[in-house]
Amino acid sequence: MLIMSKVLDILAAQLNPVVGDINGNLALAREAYAEAKERDADLLVLSELFILGYPAEDLVLKPSAVELSMAAVQTLAGETAGGPAILIGCPWDVDGKVHNSSVLLKDGIVAGRCDKRELPNYGVFDEKRIFAPGEGAPFVFTLKGVKVGVAICEDIWFERVPLSLKGAGAQMLIVPNGSPWRRTVHAERHTTFSAWRKTGVPYLFVNQVGGQDELVFDGSSYAVDDDGTEHQLLGDFETGTALVSFDGATGSFQSGPKATLTEGWEAEYRAAVLALGDYVNKNRFPGVVLGMSGGIDSALTAAIAVDALGAERVWCVMMPSKYTSSDSLEDAKACAEMLGCKYDIINIRPGVNALDEMLADQFAGTQPNTTEENIQSRLRGLTLMALSNKFGHMVVTTGNKSEMAVGYATLYGDMCGGYNALKDFYKTEVFELAKWRNTTIPRGALGPGGEVIPVRIITKPPSAELREDQRDDDSLPPYDVLDDILRGLVDLEEDIDDILARGHDVATVRRIEHLLYIAEYKRRQAPPGVKVGGKNFGRDRRYPITNRFRDD
């Protein structure tokens, strides 16, 4: 007897929805649906909370946002008569309980719904305060003779939901995701999911792509057969669709050519580029303006901005004082010319002189200190904000994670801005990224190839240039030492003894711990920046400002 294979053709849509843009996201879904029909797919799969965007945070607590999202999905359902089915993410209100749901649209109606059960409540997530967990029987539907189970994002990180779906007869799982990128994410996904792969349930992982405030989503959608064979359907940090066929008889997927993922510094650089570009574009700024000091942080920030937005939308401004070296003037101009962006010089000396005159009576009899240094930094912030207000460009601040950690930054000065592309990169990582960018043009970058950061910027000793012959290592340990201590204190939450065991000086470690804690109030006022590591300042690490704890 001839046995017909049950083959399900699925279009996986790895798209970039905008949080709160329900009509715009509905338009994206319709475009993908038109492609699904054209390619004779049986099912279109869209990512987690697609219609409202992810993460929508407390927007989910606004009844009208949920109602309009549900209405948009109901409208889309009516367009599925005679065409492929759709699985789309949407907040769904049931008797006053709002769920994080994936909704099945089929034959012109809402044909079913899966509610997320494992609500993450750690790190950057706090879904338990805005969603009710799913209950009841696991969601399994049949399409073209294939029994399909649905597990939403966090549901796949634990055995409970996949095993219950298998027990309900699911031959494969579809996993809509809003899974943010960090440098360890691929290893985490693959090692964690392997804990229940032995159950032999094939799955299709469909993730969103794009930047949303401090998070960036990589996409990287893929499928896994029942024997563990992987099919990398789509690349990272780019939108796209992939048609994949699932054979219910063999438990395997068939797809086109395997996509490739970026790794190492390129992945981290592309994450920063995508995050900054989406922050600027989704908030509809015409471009960005930044202070170009001739140092490595501003040079790398300018390169990321040009790669994200194009040189014509990036404005670099050198704001020299009497302490600015000729090398810095030359290097800042050379970097801007290499990148091809607009470059201006605005001398802040007249402003510094004016403040000296204004404060002369109050400061009489005192010695110059960080007060006078901070006046320079704040005048630069004021200058950039004036340009921003006049022309609409968003100010990009340029501080790195090492500086943010120990408070080596000036409130309302060099911390002034709307976004910080380097916020989660330690200083040693900034150097490595700059050297890497000089050798490679990243995939999708809008900037030029070749050297874009003068070598002298990378090799000269870092300095804020706020006083005569100033260097960062006058007040901080060398950055390789500082960053190792900070990784222990911040990313790993290590005890002081663990850090000292690596050979660090006890007085240095305790001083850095103290600086870390007392700078919390500054970080609370810092602009957002993309998360790339295990624990970023902002969404991940939330310490009290008033805090007398020290690790004794």
Side-chain angles (χ1 to χ4, degrees):
M1 182 177 68
L2 181 63
I3 300 176
M4 299 296 291
S5 294
K6 299 174 180 179
V7 177
L8 185 62
D9 294 324
I10 305 168
L11 187 70
Q14 180 172 291
L15 304 179
N16 189 349
V18 178
V19 167
D21 188 6
I22 296 169
N23 290 333
N25 297 337
L26 178 60
L28 285 177
R30 283 174 167 149
E31 289 176 13
Y33 190 62
E35 181 181 347
K37 288 198 287 188
E38 183 180 343
R39 299 179 71 175
D40 294 322
D42 302 305
L43 175 66
L44 167 67
V45 178
L46 296 159
S47 56
E48 180 178 8
L49 283 182
F50 182 89
I51 202 69
L52 184 58
Y54 185 84
E57 300 183 80
D58 283 11
L59 191 57
V60 173
L61 301 178
K62 193 171 187 66
S64 59
V66 176
E67 291 164 8
L68 290 169
S69 297
M70 293 173 65
V73 168
Q74 294 278 6
T75 298
L76 186 61
E79 299 169 14
T80 61
I86 302 175
L87 193 65
I88 183 169
C90 179
W92 207 263
D93 189 326
V94 182
D95 299 326
K97 291 183 177 180
V98 179
H99 298 281
N100 179 342
S101 303
S102 280
V103 186
L104 179 65
L105 315 180
K106 184 175 178 287
D107 299 328
I109 63 170
V110 172
R113 190 186 80 247
C114 171
D115 299 330
K116 189 174 182 180
R117 300 186 176 220
E118 304 285 358
L119 299 178
N121 206 52
Y122 56 88
V124 302
F125 306 106
D126 57 357
E127 289 192 25
K128 287 185 178 180
R129 62 184 294 272
I130 56 176
F131 290 115
E135 300 173 340
F139 181 60
V140 178
F141 65 93
T142 301
L143 194 60
K144 285 193 70 178
V146 177
K147 289 187 176 181
V148 181
V150 180
I152 303 172
C153 199
E154 191 79 3
D155 287 343
I156 203 177
W157 289 81
F158 302 94
E159 291 187 352
R160 180 172 71 115
V161 173
L163 291 178
S164 67
L165 288 166
K166 183 184 181 183
Q171 296 170 271
M172 68 160 290
L173 307 184
I174 291 178
V175 189
N177 270 261
S179 179
W181 183 87
R182 58 270 185 199
R183 57 173 60 112
T184 57
V185 74
H186 293 305
E188 291 173 16
R189 287 173 187 159
H190 290 72
T191 56
T192 302
F193 301 168
S194 66
W196 55 263
R197 275 189 193 173
K198 59 189 177 185
T199 62
V201 185
Y203 68 93
L204 171 63
F205 176 98
V206 179
N207 193 21
Q208 74 176 37
V209 69
Q212 172 58 29
D213 296 347
E214 293 167 292
L215 302 180
V216 64
F217 298 85
D218 57 309
S220 305
S221 301
Y222 68 99
V224 177
D225 297 341
D226 60 359
D227 64 359
T229 301
E230 294 189 7
H231 306 261
Q232 188 63 53
L233 304 176
L234 293 158
D236 47 4
F237 308 113
E238 57 192 16
T239 58
T241 59
L243 188 66
V244 57
S245 299
F246 176 73
D247 189 333
T250 64
S252 62
F253 291 92
Q254 297 294 323
S255 62
K258 182 178 181 179
T260 57
L261 302 180
T262 44
E263 298 176 343
W265 294 121
E266 181 171 14
E268 302 198 11
Y269 190 90
R270 291 184 71 203
V273 167
L274 178 59
L276 175 62
D278 271 1
Y279 192 86
V280 173
N281 292 327
K282 290 180 178 181
N283 287 294
R284 297 173 175 162
F285 289 102
V288 298
V289 59
L290 62 97
M292 193 72 149
S293 69
I296 192 166
D297 296 318
S298 61
L300 181 60
T301 299
I304 290 171
V306 168
D307 284 336
L309 304 169
E312 69 282 358
R313 297 177 65 191
V314 179
W315 187 2
C316 296
V317 182
M318 159 56 92
M319 295 167 284
S321 74
K322 66 179 181 179
Y323 301 116
T324 302
S325 67
S326 59
D327 284 359
S328 292
L329 286 164
E330 293 169 6
D331 292 341
K333 182 179 180 181
C335 186
E337 289 176 346
M338 288 174 174
L339 290 167
C341 53
K342 181 179 180 181
Y343 177 74
D344 281 318
I345 298 177
I346 300 175
N347 196 324
I348 65 167
R349 281 186 87 166
V352 173
N353 293 338
L355 264 295
D356 287 344
E357 183 179 343
M358 287 170 56
L359 295 167
D361 290 343
Q362 286 73 27
F363 285 8
T366 67
Q367 293 298 313
N369 58 12
T370 55
T371 304
E372 285 76 11
E373 295 179 23
N374 288 337
I375 284 172
Q376 298 170 66
S377 182
R378 290 185 175 122
L379 276 171
R380 290 179 174 126
L382 175 65
T383 301
L384 292 175
M385 284 307 304
L387 297 176
S388 175
N389 292 162
K390 183 65 72 175
F391 300 104
H393 291 57
M394 184 190 77
V395 178
V396 179
T397 186
T398 60
N400 58 69
K401 190 172 185 177
S402 305
E403 295 171 351
M404 293 300 101
V406 296
Y408 195 70
T410 304
L411 271 177
Y412 327 120
D414 55 330
M415 290 178 66
C416 176
Y419 198 80
N420 182 354
L422 303 183
K423 186 176 181 178
D424 204 27
F425 290 103
Y426 288 110
K427 185 78 169 191
T428 49
E429 294 168 344
V430 169
F431 281 107
E432 295 303 318
L433 277 174
K435 288 186 283 188
W436 176 86
R437 179 58 181 89
N438 271 353
T439 64
T440 310
I441 181 167
R443 189 189 310 172
L446 300 178
E451 184 179 304
V452 294
I453 299 174
V455 172
R456 186 166 63 183
I457 287 180
I458 300 173
T459 58
K460 67 185 177 183
S463 170
E465 293 192 324
L466 296 174
R467 64 175 183 267
E468 201 71 49
D469 298 323
Q470 184 182 29
R471 288 173 47 147
D472 289 5
D473 56 15
D474 294 338
S475 51
L476 295 174
Y479 278 112
D480 58 341
V481 173
L482 175 64
D483 288 356
D484 186 68
I485 295 171
L486 289 173
R487 285 190 185 94
L489 292 172
V490 176
D491 296 76
L492 302 176
E493 296 285 6
E494 287 183 327
D495 294 335
I496 292 291
D497 288 344
D498 295 327
I499 298 171
L500 294 176
R502 295 200 294 274
H504 292 291
D505 172 68
V506 62
T508 300
V509 174
R510 294 208 175 278
R511 176 170 170 262
I512 298 307
E513 180 199 35
H514 177 68
L515 292 175
L516 173 68
Y517 285 144
I518 65 171
E520 183 63 35
Y521 80 101
K522 287 187 177 183
R523 291 190 291 271
R524 292 285 184 94
Q525 300 177 69
V530 60
K531 170 185 166 72
V532 297
K535 184 171 287 190
N536 74 330
F537 292 128
R539 293 183 68 99
D540 272 323
R541 188 181 188 276
R542 289 164 281 187
Y543 267 65
I545 295 173
T546 305
N547 173 22
R548 292 187 181 180
F549 175 80
R550 298 296 182 268
D551 183 3
D552 294 328

